[in-house]
Amino acid sequence: PVVCMDPEGRCAAMLVFGSHLAILPFQQTSLLDDTFVNKGETHDILPSYTIDLKSLPEAVATVKDITFLEGYNSPTILVLCEPMPTWAGRISLRQDSMTVIGLSLN
């Protein structure tokens, strides 16, 4: 599996089974919360979820790479994929076989 993490530490994404993104959100704590952690209080664990890339409006057949973008208010992930797989022998028929899809994770 391919794993990447948001540069600001808000979540991580893992490509599983070639066509599903598992999103693992991290709990954000402030400096005020850190002072109360040792008093035996338990914090809620944020639930993870999956995104089926084949159910997106843009066709995703083969995912080549995933990465997060920096500087966005919500985690934003780019998926480099090949909607219609090809090979070097078909260069005269199809030259641009890759596409980029951006997903904003709320």
Side-chain angles (χ1 to χ4, degrees), residues 63-82:
V63 176
K64 298 295 184 180
D65 198 14
I66 58 174
T67 190
F68 279 94
L69 296 177
E70 290 187 46
Y72 284 83
N73 291 334
S74 62
T76 304
I77 192 167
L78 283 182
V79 180
L80 176 66
C81 59
E82 191 173 23

Side-chain angles (χ1 to χ4, degrees), residues 29-49:
T29 59
S30 65
L31 293 175
L32 183 62
D33 290 340
D34 290 340
T35 59
F36 298 107
V37 169
N38 294 331
K39 291 189 175 186
E41 297 177 1
T42 59
H43 295 283
D44 294 334
I45 297 173
L46 299 174
S48 61
Y49 58 94

